[in-house]
Amino acid sequence: MWTDPVTGRQAFLVIDRLIRGLASGGLRMREGCTYEEVRRLAAAMSVKEALHHNPADRHIPMGGAKGGIDCDPLSDEAPGVLARFLSFIRSYLENNWATGDDLGTTTEAIEDVLDGLGIDGCIAPVMRVVDDPIAARKRFDEAFSVEVGGIGLAELVGGCGVAEAVLAALDKDGIPRNTATAVVQGFGSMGGATARFLHEAGVRVVGIADVHGTVANPDGLPVEDMLRDRLRHGLVNRERLRAGDVLLDRDDWLALQADVLVPAAASYAIHAQNESRISARYIVEAANLPVTADAEASLHKNGVLTIPDVVANSGTNAWWWWIVFGDVLPEAAPSFAKIRTSLRSLVTETLDLAAETGTTPREAAHRVAEARRETLALRPELS
């Protein structure tokens, strides 16, 4: 734990485990961020890394870590707090912790600070284990310069993975895409991208929620138009809504009739006090920790399956390292293809194991991760 000498704000770095001296995980900033929250996120990162271990890939999974800053990211003091915290933990950033953006931060802002500290970017620690650090950095920079429809590829890969997790669940249940419905809470980079890929796949997005409320239409929302008109900070432009679009309260997205709910905003959005409103078949976690443990257990008893964040939103982290290690070209088509293949396989395996063992998908995902770690331990590079 670190306390900022200027503002009194607190920040946390938790390294859950190291593999080859390395751990991967983002840095978040939000008012009220706690040590326990960061600890849970770091543990989840260890699972995400393990789940994407493929002996055929050059990428060797790392351990998990997470950083968190208790500060409003939109406040005037936020940039200074970020800079001072990163300066305080610079040795970890140079040697152990490969980080990036998370809730309330951007990779660009983090890298600007690291550049001022003389650290070669967010992925600096990983450069000592890649075959060609110059080529790896070049691939990484190229990938972050790619745009698809005016949006950066790096902003789209996470939503592509979440959408594929949704589609894999629907396909497993035999629900046709052209009759399936979904609600997305959060319309920023993750929520917006998820909505876009679901819409492209033929799923009807019947509700989108932001901090100001929920926009709903049982006939489906015009996702592409809403993305084009989207305001800063992931806000729906309510001046451009159509006849038939209904404005509801902020938490009413929970009760909308849909096959899938996608919480893609804040942590702990679904909890014991509101989970009874949900009638969807699936909750697919695009955000980190959006469903509390007690709510998830209650929902599971009532037949609502939660595809956990360690599975559903793991595509972004995996994509970073596939690019760096050269498992995928820094281009849109191969990036989307590998994410879709990996997420579909992972969701199917997780749901199959959950059904076979009578456990939740989260418990099944942790079992899959442990099996991956056993395989990982046999790699000669780690001996």
Side-chain angles (χ1 to χ4, degrees), residues 93-94 111 114-115 117-125 127 133 137 141:
L93 294 162
E94 290 174 318
E111 294 224 319
L114 297 184
D115 184 60
L117 294 173
I119 299 172
D120 188 22
C122 294
I123 62 173
M127 292 299 99
R137 184 73 206 197
D141 292 341

Side-chain angles (χ1 to χ4, degrees), residues 52-372:
H52 282 282
H53 176 232
N54 182 344
D57 286 343
R58 298 183 184 90
H59 166 228
I60 297 177
M62 292 164 254
K66 207 74 174 185
I69 302 174
D70 179 7
C71 183
D72 179 355
L74 301 180
S75 68
D76 292 339
E77 63 187 15
V81 175
L82 173 67
R84 289 186 291 273
F85 177 54
L86 294 180
S87 178
F88 180 76
I89 60 169
R90 67 171 299 155
S91 63
Y92 293 100
L93 294 162
E94 290 174 318
N95 300 299
N96 308 108
W97 181 32
T99 189
D101 63 286
D102 195 82
L103 180 69
T105 64
T106 66
T107 298
E108 293 74 18
I110 295 170
E111 294 224 319
D112 282 347
V113 175
L114 297 184
D115 184 60
L117 294 173
I119 299 172
D120 188 22
C122 294
I123 62 173
V126 183
M127 292 299 99
R128 63 181 169 82
V129 298
V130 296
D131 293 336
D132 186 339
I134 294 175
R137 184 73 206 197
K138 183 174 183 289
R139 286 192 297 269
F140 184 77
D141 292 341
E142 286 178 356
F144 271 76
S145 70
V146 174
E147 291 193 351
V148 181
I151 300 176
L153 176 60
E155 294 185 38
L156 294 172
V157 289
C160 175
V162 174
E164 193 62 31
V166 172
L167 297 174
L170 293 173
D171 291 347
K172 184 171 177 57
D173 271 356
I175 301 174
R177 299 179 184 186
N178 61 357
T179 65
T181 53
V183 174
V184 179
Q185 180 239 6
F187 204 46
S189 58
M190 183 66 90
T194 300
R196 164 175 276 157
F197 285 109
L198 288 176
H199 179 74
E200 288 179 355
V203 175
R204 194 162 18 113
V205 178
V206 297
I208 292 174
D210 63 16
V211 296
H212 295 311
T214 300
V215 179
N217 191 323
D219 295 325
L221 293 167
V223 172
E224 287 298 331
D225 291 343
M226 293 176 71
L227 285 169
R228 186 170 52 250
D229 296 333
R230 183 173 55 179
L231 305 175
R232 290 183 63 195
H233 308 304
L235 297 179
V236 174
N237 187 345
R238 285 162 172 77
E239 294 183 358
R240 301 299 297 271
L241 299 180
R242 309 167 306 165
D245 296 340
V246 179
L247 295 175
L248 304 171
D249 289 340
R250 185 169 66 177
D251 289 339
D252 284 347
W253 66 278
L254 293 159
L256 292 177
Q257 294 297 309
D259 296 301
V260 181
L261 299 185
V262 181
S267 301
Y268 316 123
I270 299 174
H271 46 75
Q273 286 69 48
N274 64 20
E275 55 89 7
S276 62
R277 304 184 68 188
I278 294 172
S279 61
R281 165 64 175 159
Y282 283 103
I283 296 171
V284 179
E285 295 187 324
N288 288 318
L289 308 178
V291 184
T292 63
D294 53 352
E296 183 176 339
S298 177
L299 288 163
H300 186 76
K301 289 179 181 178
N302 292 324
V304 181
L305 296 182
T306 299
I307 298 180
D309 49 3
V310 294
V311 173
N313 73 15
S314 63
T316 299
N317 181 71
W319 176 77
W320 272 46
W321 305 130
W322 291 332
I323 292 290
V324 169
F325 283 84
D327 291 310
V328 67
L329 293 173
E331 301 168 3
S335 294
F336 292 148
K338 188 165 179 64
I339 287 171
R340 287 178 172 128
T341 299
S342 296
L343 263 295
R344 176 164 290 270
S345 174
L346 189 52
V347 169
T348 301
E349 183 176 6
T350 298
L351 292 178
D352 283 346
L353 182 59
E356 291 169 9
T357 58
T359 59
T360 67
R362 188 178 307 277
E363 292 171 299
H366 280 258
R367 292 190 184 190
V368 173
E370 191 56 42
R372 297 279 200 277

